[in-house]
Structures are given as structure tokens and as C-alpha cells.
Amino acid sequence: QGAEFGGRLWNPPGEFDARDLDFRFVFVSLAPLLACLILLFGPGLGGALAVYRPGEVALPTRVALAFAFACCIPALLALPLAITGFLHAPALFALLAMVTAALWYLAAEKGRLTEHLEAVREELRSDRWPLTAGLVVLLASAVVRSTVSPLVHFSTSASWRYWADALEVADSARIPHTVLQYGMVFPATVNKALVSTLGAGFSLALERAPLPGMAAMLWLSSVGLVAAMWSVGHELGLKNTAAAVPLLLVLNRISLNNEMTTDLGNFKAENFGRLVAFAGVALAVRALRGRRWKDGLWSGALLGVAAGMHVVPVMIALGFLGFYGAARLVLDRDRAALVSRAAAIVGLAAVLGALVLFLPRGSIGVSAGSADVTEGQPFDPTRYLNSGAATPLVSGTEWRIGPRRALAAYVTSATGISTRAAGRWLMYGLPLLGVGVAVALMTFSPPALRPLGVAAGGLAAVIVALTWLFSIRYRLYIPAFFGVRRLFDYSSIPVVIAVLALIEWALAAWGARRPAAMVAAASILAIGALLIPTSRSGQSAVARDGRVAAAFNWIRTNVPCDARILPDAHTEGVFEAFTGRVSLLEGATPYLRPVVRTPVIRLLLSTRRFFRNPPENQELLKQLGVDFVVLVRSPGLGYHGPVATGDPAVFNRSPAFEPVYNSSEMLVYRVISPASPSRIVQPSSFPGYRCQRVPARL
């Protein structure tokens, strides 16, 4: 290893050579954007045209289906190839080309392209202002998202884990049975297998390049989610205000709960789950509102596929649809047909969800387990992994959230207004107001709007109830706080749906159809002009992220391929995905995998002791076979809590370490006398660790 180690680079702290950056990447490069457009206008649009005849479905839903199919079709085609071990570029792309051709043939059978265009023109003539507002919001978001620099992914670590999982699938041409994480061999996790197979396809098309690959997946999921939310609003009957749904929920960093907007700052699996699940919601609403079995079957299919991407959006979708269906059960006369369509949606979603989750061989990772014991003292392992706190467990009620507290937390999350500041009137007034809105809508509003108050209030009740139930069911922090941590991301949906339903009702009562539509469209465009530019997060940190990228480029060109790196942060996947090297603190966070969690926690605790006092804990380096120690200084790239922040002064004084790289974002030290225990696994034996020796273009 020492002979392979190439020269030494020492930069004064804080100094950065701008030549290390290629700012052409401030805009998404042509290759990933072209890959997205091929999927969108190839299998995506082909599928959307093949499923419904001209004029059979509204334009917003047709667009949402194009994005949903652009994600689902490649992922579903890659899945059986990955299960059987035949996921090679020629096989995948040939299969994708054949399916695309078949879809366009079926689309031609349903109606010529000119007929589809004529149907769109007719739709625009009848609903010009609402559809124009929606198209402007969608196109503006597409343009703004195309200007997001891929370098923003160096401000986070979760995206790198998803991309590393995709590379592991692509490199092995299958979903691997075991993976190398934390320097150890573990069973692969497959609960997001469809995101991994979709990412594997992008990696094959873009030659494994992480920044273009993640940029492509970020653009596709971001713009697709806007389209899906627009479709949901339209199908719910928000004829004039449908475009405000994505505007307020996924393009809004100013008010309400902006977590879904923040999540569009980098590539995440949940964004794909949201896109597909909410496209399924739009079709489910059509099925429950009308009498078409086709809508229900396609809705169930999309919800089932979404479960293979991320299960949380599917939970939210089913909660909303459950109460929407209950309201329709009261309003509709043909209750038997309604129940049968609802059963078909849920049944098909359950079957497909089970198939995509359990057909791949691997770990689903859904067991909370119990407390870990270290040195005779039990503590909450999930809280330790999340924040680094290893406080003892005193009883089983540490994380219990009572109904009143759950309600207060929900109201604060949904509105962005603290109940402590506003007082009890907000905490109790908002639910009471919601009940009143639901009753008023069900009783007096136009027929299309009547179920919306019940659906919105029901979803809010589901979120609050699950927040309370999870907290009393589980003893450990992560599962107990599932509602606060994950479900509250969707807390503003009921508020937005209810408020827009009232506005739509008021516009309908106005009576003047064209002026009402014009006022609504003008208002949406004005709000969009304020919100959409601010939804592009992370751009102010591009230069800093470029310095981080330059540091990792130095590792690519100077650190041996078989080196074992010990950073002072849990970085999840960036060393593996960007450099092809092994980081001993890198892998999926095993919150709900007790078999993996115990050895990982022992490793993290040992590493914490080392970084707190390196001279007295150098034996750990020999046990782990560490070749390089890295001090990560970039905020956001990894979690220091479970480990410790290393002190450069201590390493600079120690004769056991040689400083070889120093920048404002990263310090690298070579271990003078590394050990090579025989039990160390070579990274070349595992997928995902294709060693990179030349700098990546930034």
C-alpha cells in the first residue's frame, strides 16, 4: 500500500484553487437532462398515451402519468433482470426500447397523435386559464430545477447512500445478496429496491458518474412531483386552483411545513415514492368519483410500485383515500360499486407492493428490536445513531407523546405557527375549524368539492393518531417518533386542500366563470413568481461544495484502492460512490435492523473513544487496519454526533500520523504503520467499489 501511495498534497488551511472546479456544472449538464427527457418522452409519454384514449383523461393527469411511467417502467424492467442476475446495459436498454416501441404502438391504436393534440387544444379552450397557470408552474419548476448544481449533493450524505446502492446493483448485474458496509459484510437492504434499480439504469447510461446520475434523478423526481400534485388538485375538483397545490406543498420554502420542498434539495428515494404515490391518488380519486375500473386498477398498480420506492408516501396516500372514499360512500347511491372499486385499489396495491418488496432477496429492515447494552448499561441505540446521545434507558415511556401534545405538534407543523406563541386557541381552534369546514363542504358546496373537507380532516386525524400510537407502542426513539419525524412532512396537505376547497367554492359562488378563472390564474402566477425561485435550495453553498468535491478528487488520485479510511463522521456513501474506497463509517443507518445495528454501534463507540483521545486508542487503528484518518469539516456531509469531531492539533503533534492533505473542508492523515489483519475484506471482492484513479469533472 505504501508503494502505491502517490505523492503528497498540502494546501494551506482555507486556500482553494478555483481551477479544481468546472462551473459548467452549475447547470445540470446535457447528458443527465437528455436521459430524463428520453425516459419522459419515450416510455413515459408512450405509456400515458397508451393507457387512455384522446380526451379520456385530463391534461394534468396525463402529464403526471408520463412522469410516473418514466420512473416506474425502467425500474420495473430492471427489477427482474436484477433478481435473475442479467442486469447488463445491452439487456436493459434493448428491453426498454422494445417496451417503448410497444407502448407507442398501443398509443397509436388508441388514437393518432394529432387526435391527442386536438383533445389537448379543446381542453385548453374550455379551461384556458387554470390549465395555463398549471403549465406555467410546471415549466417554471422544470427550468428552475435544471439550474440546480449537482454539487449540492456534497452538502448531504443520504443521497450518496442511495447512489452507492444503485452502483452495487449495476456492478453486480443483480441485487447483491451481501454488501460491504462499515468495513463488514452484511445482507443487502431491499426495501427501496425499485429506486436502486432505477438508479442502476441511470448509472449504466451515464457511465457510473455520480454527479450527473444524481442530478438526473433529482430533476426527474422534482418536476414529476410537481406534476403529480397538480394532477391530484385537478382530480379533486379544484378546477381553478389545482396549480396552487404543488405551489404551496412542494415549491414553498416560506410558509407552512416546507419539508417536502427541502427534500427536493437533493436526490432522495422518498421523492420518487411521493411522485408515484400521488399520481396513484389522482387516479384513485377518478375511480372513486366515477365508475371506471381502469382508473382503480392503474391506481392500485401505481400505489403498489410506490411501496417499492418508499412506503411512507403510500401510507399517507391510503389514509387520504380512505376518508375520501368514506365521504363518497355517504354521498353516492351505488355504494356496492364504490366499495368494490376501493377494494380493487387496496388489493392490487397490497399484492404489487408485496411482490416488489419481497421478491428481491435481502433484508426489508423493519424490526425495531430492543435496547443495546454496552458495558452493562442499556441505552437507546436508535437515538444514539441519530444524535450520538447514549443516555441510559430509565423506563419505557421516554418518548411517549400524549394526544394533546401530538395535536399541538401537528398544528405547529402544519401551519408553521407555534402553538406556544399563539396559545390554545390555535391548537383547539384549527381542528374545530376543520370540522366546521368538513360539515359545510359536505352539506352546501358543489358536488365535486363535498368530500374534500372529510378527506383533509381525516388525513390530519390519521397523522395525529399514528403519532400518538407509535409513541406508546415503541420504546426506542426512531420508531416511537415516527409520526413527528416522517408523517409530519405531510402535515400541511390537509390545510392546503381544505383552504383551496373553500376558495374554489367561493369562486364557484361568484358565478362569473371567466373572471373567476382569470383572477385565480393571476393569483397563482403571482404567488409562483415569489415561491418558485426560492425553492431552489443550496445554491449559495456551491463554492464550498466544490471545495469538498476537490478534496474527494484528491482521494481518488492519491489514496490506494485497497486503503481503509476512518473519518470522524458517518458519511453514509460518498467515499464508496465517488472514490470507490472503503470508509469504515459508511453504510445505511441501521435504525431498524438489530442484527446490523449492534456491530455498527460497537464500531461507532470505539471510534468515538479514538477521536476523543487518539494517542491512547491507537490500537483501534491496528484492529481495523486503518490506512488513512480523515477529519471532515464540511457541514452536512455526514453525522459527527455518534462519533466525535477530531482535533487537528492532536493529529499534527502525533508521530503516528502524517498530514497529507489540508483544506477548509477536509484534513487527511496517513497512518505511519498501518496493520493488515488477515480478516480484512478486500473491496474489490464486492460491488460498488470500482476504484477511481482520475479526478472527476466537477
Side-chain angles (χ1 to χ4, degrees):
Q1 290 180 349
E4 188 180 352
F5 177 71
R8 164 177 173 174
L9 177 63
W10 177 260
N11 291 338
E15 185 174 311
F16 173 66
D17 188 347
R19 291 173 298 179
D20 291 335
L21 272 180
D22 182 351
F23 281 101
R24 287 174 296 177
F25 250 108
V26 171
F27 288 80
V28 174
S29 63
L30 179 62
L33 189 57
L34 182 61
C36 289
L37 294 178
I38 290 173
L39 290 183
L40 182 60
F41 291 104
L45 184 57
L49 296 177
V51 170
Y52 290 98
R53 295 181 181 277
E56 193 176 5
V57 69
L59 178 62
T61 303
R62 183 90 68 178
V63 174
L65 285 177
F67 277 97
F69 288 153
C71 300
C72 294
I73 292 173
L76 288 172
L77 293 178
L79 182 63
L81 295 177
I83 291 174
T84 57
F86 292 98
L87 185 58
H88 302 286
L92 175 61
F93 298 144
L95 185 59
L96 184 60
M98 288 189 292
V99 170
T100 300
L103 289 173
W104 279 99
Y105 174 80
L106 292 175
E109 290 292 307
K110 290 288 182 72
R112 294 190 302 273
L113 186 59
T114 54
E115 295 179 81
H116 284 283
L117 293 175
E118 180 57 35
V120 170
R121 282 195 292 267
E122 181 60 32
E123 193 174 352
L124 286 171
R125 279 194 291 267
S126 61
D127 290 314
R128 177 179 304 172
W129 293 104
L131 291 178
T132 299
L135 288 172
V136 169
V137 168
L138 180 66
L139 293 175
S141 67
V143 171
V144 168
R145 300 309 303 177
S146 70
T147 65
V148 175
S149 168
L151 293 172
V152 299
H153 290 98
F154 283 103
S155 297
T156 184
S157 55
S159 300
W160 293 97
R161 183 66 259 154
Y162 295 130
W163 187 252
D165 291 342
L167 292 181
E168 290 172 356
V169 173
D171 286 352
S172 57
R174 66 182 309 133
I175 295 175
H177 299 160
T178 57
V179 293
L180 179 60
Q181 296 183 9
Y182 300 98
M184 297 175 273
V185 180
F186 294 119
T189 304
V190 295
N191 61 330
K192 301 177 181 69
L194 288 181
V195 175
S196 297
T197 56
L198 179 62
F202 271 110
S203 75
L204 292 172
L206 298 170
E207 298 180 343
R208 297 183 97 257
L211 291 178
M214 289 190 291
M217 298 192 76
L218 174 59
W219 187 90
L220 185 62
S221 61
S222 300
V223 183
L225 183 55
V226 173
M229 286 296 194
W230 180 30
S231 173
V232 168
H234 184 87
E235 297 297 346
L236 286 174
L238 303 175
K239 187 174 182 180
N240 295 297
T241 58
V245 176
L247 202 57
L248 296 174
L249 291 176
V250 298
L251 296 171
N252 177 14
R253 295 178 61 86
I254 296 177
S255 61
L256 304 175
N257 184 304
N258 58 22
E259 188 63 31
M260 284 201 289
T261 305
T262 302
D263 284 349
L264 298 183
N266 47 74
F267 155 49
K268 285 188 175 181
E270 192 166 0
N271 291 332
F272 283 96
R274 289 166 177 162
L275 188 172
V276 178
F278 287 120
V281 168
L283 291 184
V285 169
R286 283 174 54 89
L288 297 175
R289 188 185 64 226
R291 291 180 170 82
R292 295 178 58 87
W293 279 91
K294 180 166 65 174
D295 295 328
L297 294 177
W298 281 111
S299 169
L302 289 175
L303 290 171
V305 172
M309 295 179 168
H310 205 289
V311 73
V312 174
V314 179
M315 295 174 60
I316 294 295
L318 291 177
F320 181 83
L321 290 174
F323 281 92
Y324 183 88
R328 293 234 68 102
L329 200 61
V330 174
L331 296 170
D332 293 357
R333 294 181 179 179
D334 193 355
R335 294 185 175 89
L338 179 65
V339 171
S340 62
R341 290 194 300 273
I345 293 171
V346 175
L348 185 56
V351 170
L352 284 180
L355 287 175
V356 298
L357 285 172
F358 292 103
L359 277 181
R361 181 179 172 184
S363 170
I364 301 297
V366 293
S367 174
S370 58
D372 283 79
V373 179
T374 301
E375 298 177 357
Q377 183 67 60
F379 67 91
D380 187 333
T382 64
R383 191 184 182 205
Y384 170 71
L385 289 170
N386 181 260
S387 64
T391 53
L393 285 174
V394 179
S395 66
T397 61
E398 284 86 359
W399 312 120
R400 181 165 294 179
I401 303 174
R404 181 180 178 278
R405 183 183 168 198
L407 177 60
Y410 171 81
V411 170
T412 297
S413 173
T415 63
I417 303 172
S418 172
T419 54
R420 292 183 179 180
R424 292 186 177 182
W425 69 268
L426 180 62
M427 183 177 69
Y428 294 115
L430 187 66
L432 291 174
L433 181 61
V435 172
V437 168
V439 172
L441 288 172
M442 280 286 286
T443 308
F444 303 110
S445 73
L449 302 176
R450 289 178 183 174
L452 300 196
V454 173
L459 177 59
V462 166
I463 293 174
V464 173
L466 288 179
T467 299
W468 169 59
L469 291 173
F470 270 86
S471 73
I472 63 175
R473 168 64 178 83
Y474 294 101
R475 188 181 181 188
L476 302 183
Y477 170 76
I478 288 297
F481 265 38
F482 173 74
V484 175
R485 294 177 55 256
R486 306 312 301 267
L487 300 182
F488 276 19
D489 294 357
Y490 305 86
S491 59
S492 291
I493 292 178
V495 174
V496 168
I497 295 298
V499 170
L500 291 181
L502 292 176
I503 294 174
E504 196 72 36
W505 185 7
L507 292 173
W510 186 352
R513 178 182 174 185
R514 184 174 179 182
M518 291 176 62
V519 169
S523 301
I524 288 171
L525 294 179
I527 296 172
L530 174 66
L531 295 182
I532 293 176
T534 65
S535 67
R536 187 186 66 161
S537 61
Q539 295 306 105
S540 60
V542 166
R544 184 200 67 211
D545 298 335
R547 290 191 292 268
V548 181
F552 278 102
N553 259 343
W554 183 88
I555 291 176
R556 285 170 64 120
T557 56
N558 291 277
V559 171
C561 290
D562 58 350
R564 289 166 68 88
I565 299 168
L566 183 67
D568 63 345
H570 173 207
T571 52
E572 296 198 71
V574 61
F575 284 93
E576 176 185 351
F578 194 76
T579 72
R581 271 70 168 180
V582 172
S583 168
L584 296 174
L585 300 188
E586 200 158 85
T589 306
Y591 287 128
L592 303 180
R593 300 175 67 196
V595 174
V596 176
R597 191 173 64 203
T598 298
V600 168
I601 285 180
R602 289 172 180 166
L603 172 64
L604 291 171
L605 289 171
S606 299
T607 305
R608 171 184 278 190
R609 287 193 292 269
F610 167 75
F611 279 109
R612 285 178 173 175
N613 195 338
E616 294 187 4
N617 294 280
Q618 290 186 27
E619 186 63 26
L620 176 68
L621 302 181
K622 295 182 179 180
Q623 294 173 3
L624 300 177
V626 176
D627 301 292
F628 290 86
V629 174
V630 174
L631 306 185
V632 178
R633 292 294 171 265
S634 176
L637 186 62
Y639 309 94
H640 289 276
V643 194
T645 302
D647 185 356
V650 175
F651 287 93
N652 289 334
R653 289 195 304 265
S654 174
F657 305 98
E658 177 190 7
V660 292
Y661 181 84
N662 182 6
S663 74
S664 59
E665 310 300 328
M666 182 183 294
L667 295 88
V668 182
Y669 296 87
R670 184 168 68 91
V671 179
I672 298 298
S673 301
S676 298
S678 58
R679 59 184 173 83
I680 287 181
V681 181
Q682 292 299 317
S684 57
S685 303
F686 285 85
Y689 291 94
R690 189 179 298 179
C691 182
Q692 304 297 319
R693 294 177 176 272
V694 297
R697 190 185 70 166
L698 304 180

